[in-house]
């Protein structure tokens, strides 16, 4: 096992970001609930502890307080934001209640670089977001950095290897924040930086082989990044013991099914079963207009079709899923921590229990960027590794209102043009998602001397980090012009293209 850094979660919206930054430094990190006992951390052999920020005040009645025993484990501790206030409070310093939050950019002046700020400039622009603040140091500590607002912006106890920082090194707005984290990991905790993609793959393959033995594994392939990487990894470990099922629900984009067949069947020689259930899905969706109802029908039909296909495959013991680490973290729900609200598990719900299958989740320790690195190392093409997210209900929620075969076909043609142009200009790889939406409205157009009355396509292109918030992308006008004219020229039934300039919130990324 690689060395582990524990990130104790006090409900910060940035907890996962801290864990990811640590891993970017090739050090394995694990998020623990703040109530985790020091004994458990000791048993896990953690080599360092980071106390996350959090929305609470240390003075609040239900302030999250960790096991004080963690300060006696003999491992380095770094408190960030709420973490530094906790250290102040628990280790004998003074924390003052503040009536207003300090929020935004500040300038940090390093008075004594030590190990935490080694090889970094003496002045850094940092990002603050805190209410309370430390006003007197706990015994054994000295201040090594200040801001205009605080003489104790960075504190250290060299003897015990305890550090506290008032700002957020993990966020993008803090200049060279990752280097501060790396310095803590390497210079203070002595981390060997042994968390690499190559080692992970080797370790995961051993683990899959040990778990699966001689049994068979079934995996529902969606064509998305997670299930694709899980398939490639399990296939490398188990070869023919893996069978993948791909359900064509009739709501796929142009060429999607063929691409899956080519990659997994022809290239990887995976035992791939393609089930064409498109007529069944479309039949059940006939006349249905309400988005949530469409989603339910699509979800239910998928489970039914998948289940039936398993029966025809024969006996298997394991069902593999591309579950990722953010899906399994129990985020601390304090304030309106968005991490605690996202639990978007769009996987095959309830199937394993009903089918008496054991779950195999080889990616459950990984963040998305790590999954992409594993996929690339396993030889998956860029198109798959960097594919944009695509909703489970597919084009079903992009044809607004009732879904028909004809509308789906129009949408597919328009969407395929958009994707081609986005890829040709490289924009596809820079944005979070880019897609077309079929609007069930007709508008008047003119071709030559003739007027026509045909459909409208909306183009939606957004930038986002995690889909919680998003902004519409300012595509170059020339590119928009090309997309629009190609769609109206090449897709006969479309007379008008509109560009969606709504951010999330208040809009959502999808239209349904
Ligand atoms: P919204 O529209 O809520 O979308 O801003 C956020 C992200 O989630 C995707 N999405 C879905 N994914 N099943 C999925 O698997 C769904 O029903 C679904 N609805 C939205 C959407 O594409 C975006 O990336």
């Amino acid at each position: 096992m690689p060395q582990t850094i524990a990130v104790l979660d006090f409900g910060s919206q940035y907890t996962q970001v801290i864990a990811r930054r640590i891993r970017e430094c090739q050090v394995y990190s694990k998020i623990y609930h703040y109530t985790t006992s020091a004994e458990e951390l000791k048993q896990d052999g953690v080599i360092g502890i980071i106390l996350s920020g959090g929305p609470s005040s240390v003075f609040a009645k239900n302030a999250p307080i960790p096991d004080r025993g963690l300060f006696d484990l003999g491992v380095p501790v770094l408190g960030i934001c709420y973490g530094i206030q906790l250290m102040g409070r628990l280790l004998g310093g003074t924390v003052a209640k503040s009536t207003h939050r300090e929020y935004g950019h500040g300038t940090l002046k390093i008075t004594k670089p030590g190990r935490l700020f080694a090889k970094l400039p003496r002045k850094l622009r940092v990002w603050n977001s805190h209410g309370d603040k430390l006003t007197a140091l706990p015994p054994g500590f000295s201040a090594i950095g200040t801001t205009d607002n605080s003489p104790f912006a960075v504190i250290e106890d060299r003897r015990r290897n305890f550090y506290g920082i008032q700002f957020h090194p993990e966020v993008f707005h803090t200049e060279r924040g990752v280097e501060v984290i790396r310095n803590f990991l390497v210079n203070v905790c002595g981390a060997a930086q042994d968390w690499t993609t190559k080692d992970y793959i080797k370790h995961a393959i051993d683990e899959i082989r040990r778990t699966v033995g001689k049994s068979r594994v079934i995996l529902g392939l969606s064509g998305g990044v997670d299930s694709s990487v899980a398939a490639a990894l399990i296939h490398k470990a188990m070869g023919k013991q893996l069978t993948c099922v791909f359900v064509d629900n009739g709501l796929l984009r142009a060429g999607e099914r063929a691409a899956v067949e080519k990659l997994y069947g022809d290239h990887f020689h995976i035992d791939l079963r393609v089930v064409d259930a498109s007529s069944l899905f479309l039949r059940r969706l006939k006349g249905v207009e309400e988005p949530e109802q469409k989603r339910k029908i699509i979800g239910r039909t998928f489970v039914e079709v998948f289940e039936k296909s398993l029966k025809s495959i024969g006996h298997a013991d394991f069902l593999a899923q591309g579950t990722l680490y953010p899906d399994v973290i129990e985020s601390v729900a304090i304030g309106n921590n968005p991490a605690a609200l996202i639990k978007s598990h769009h996987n095959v719900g309830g199937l394993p229990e009903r089918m008496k299958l054991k779950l195999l989740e080889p990616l459950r320790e990984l963040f998305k960027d790590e999954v992409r690195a594993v996929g690339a190392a396993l030889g998956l093409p860029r198109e798959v590794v960097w594919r944009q997210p695509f909703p489970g209900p597919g084009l079903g929620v992009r044809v607004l209102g009732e879904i028909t075969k004809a509308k789906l076909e129009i949408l597919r043609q328009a969407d395929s043009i958009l994707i081609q142009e986005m890829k040709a200009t490289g924009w596809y790889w820079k944005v979070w998602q880019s897609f077309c939406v079929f609007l069930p409205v007709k508008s008047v157009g003119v071709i030559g001397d003739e007027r026509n009355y045909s459909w409208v396509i909306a183009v939606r292109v957004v930038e986002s980090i995690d889909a919680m918030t998003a902004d519409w992308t300012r595509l170059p006008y020339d590119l928009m012009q090309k997309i629009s004219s190609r769609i109206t020229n090449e897709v006969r039934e479309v007379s008008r293209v509109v560009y969606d300039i709504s951010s999330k919130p208040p809009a959502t990324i999808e239209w349904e």
Side-chain angles (χ1 to χ4, degrees), residues 295 346 389-393 398 432-433 467 504 508-510 512:
R295 276 197 172 78
H346 302 296
F390 184 60
R398 293 185 181 166
W432 173 263
Q433 273 172 299
K504 173 181 180 176
T508 50
I509 295 176
E510 302 288 345
E512 278 197 340

Side-chain angles (χ1 to χ4, degrees), residues 432-489:
W432 173 263
Q433 273 172 299
S434 46
F435 56 88
C436 288
V437 181
F438 180 95
L439 307 190
V441 264
K442 284 195 163 179
S443 91
V444 174
V446 53
I447 303 178
D449 293 333
E450 259 181 62
R451 279 176 173 265
N452 64 3
Y453 187 52
S454 20
W455 301 109
V456 181
I457 286 288
V459 173
R460 180 81 165 134
V461 184
V462 294
E463 274 149 47
S464 176
I465 306 282
D466 52 12
M468 296 293 295
T469 60
D471 195 11
W472 60 279
T473 302
R474 277 65 166 168
L475 285 184
Y477 284 162
D478 288 352
L479 175 57
M480 287 171 136
Q481 148 67 23
K482 185 147 188 221
I483 291 165
S484 156
S485 66
R486 275 200 62 196
I487 293 177
T488 45
N489 285 334

Side-chain angles (χ1 to χ4, degrees), residues 132-418:
D132 304 335
K133 93 183 177 195
L134 194 62
T135 51
L137 292 172
F141 279 84
S142 57
I144 61 169
T146 62
T147 60
D148 286 345
N149 275 315
S150 170
F152 306 124
V154 186
I155 59 170
E156 81 169 343
D157 176 339
R158 267 206 73 127
R159 194 179 58 79
R160 291 183 291 177
N161 280 322
F162 291 166
Y163 289 83
I165 42 190
Q166 184 75 90
F167 61 92
H168 286 275
E170 71 277 19
V171 304
F172 169 75
H173 317 287
T174 290
E175 199 185 348
R176 307 188 67 168
V178 180
E179 286 164 74
V180 177
I181 293 175
R182 187 182 295 118
N183 280 347
F184 175 71
L185 303 172
V186 177
N187 300 350
V188 182
C189 302
Q193 296 179 286
D194 55 359
W195 177 249
T196 63
T197 305
K198 207 168 122 230
D199 289 345
Y200 171 77
I201 292 176
K202 197 172 151 295
H203 157 80
I205 287 175
D206 290 346
E207 185 75 25
I208 294 168
R209 287 189 179 142
R210 210 174 38 243
T211 312
V212 173
K214 293 198 178 339
S215 310
R216 273 182 80 191
V217 182
I218 310 273
L219 182 142
L221 206 54
S222 71
V225 183
D226 309 341
S227 66
S228 301
V229 175
L233 190 60
I234 299 169
H235 182 250
K236 197 170 164 78
M238 310 307 307
K240 286 283 172 209
Q241 281 169 257
L242 170 71
T243 298
C244 289
V245 178
F246 180 77
V247 176
D248 182 348
N249 58 9
L251 306 166
L252 304 170
R253 286 163 298 186
E256 216 163 347
R257 173 171 159 183
V260 166
E261 285 173 324
K262 189 158 161 246
L263 179 65
Y264 299 97
D266 303 351
H267 178 71
F268 279 110
H269 302 293
I270 287 181
D271 175 19
L272 173 70
R273 315 284 173 100
V274 175
V275 186
D276 185 348
S278 48
S279 317
L280 176 67
F281 278 86
L282 295 188
R283 214 166 47 238
R284 293 209 175 148
L285 287 166
K286 201 167 172 353
V288 182
E289 293 185 356
E290 208 276 315
E292 281 316 299
Q293 209 185 341
K294 287 198 220 170
R295 276 197 172 78
K296 276 198 194 114
I297 294 172
I298 296 166
R300 228 184 298 128
T301 309
F302 177 82
V303 171
E304 202 182 301
V305 170
F306 192 73
E307 218 168 8
K308 211 160 137 202
S309 77
L310 295 195
K311 283 193 187 129
S312 74
I313 289 167
H315 179 76
D317 295 294
F318 289 91
L319 179 72
Q321 287 189 344
T323 313
L324 304 193
Y325 192 42
D327 299 327
V328 297
I329 302 167
E330 280 260 347
S331 298
V332 174
I334 299 177
N336 55 357
N337 177 13
L341 302 176
I342 341 169
K343 270 272 133 101
S344 54
H345 227 299
H346 302 296
N347 291 331
V348 200
L351 249 190
E353 299 90 56
R354 275 224 303 284
M355 301 295 291
K356 303 208 165 44
L357 289 165
K358 288 179 240 167
L359 263 187
L360 182 67
E361 300 178 312
L363 310 177
R364 60 182 282 129
E365 283 172 23
L366 304 187
F367 285 110
K368 192 84 171 191
D369 39 358
E370 296 172 309
V371 170
R372 292 206 165 101
V374 168
L378 291 172
L380 286 172
R382 182 182 181 207
E383 259 69 24
V384 174
V385 171
W386 289 100
R387 207 180 91 129
Q388 294 174 359
F390 184 60
L395 300 185
V397 288
R398 293 185 181 166
V399 167
L400 305 193
E402 188 187 2
I403 303 164
T404 66
K405 234 176 164 165
K407 291 177 187 171
L408 283 167
E409 199 37 48
I410 294 169
L411 178 59
R412 267 188 202 111
Q413 288 176 27
D415 197 63
S416 148
I417 292 171
L418 172 69

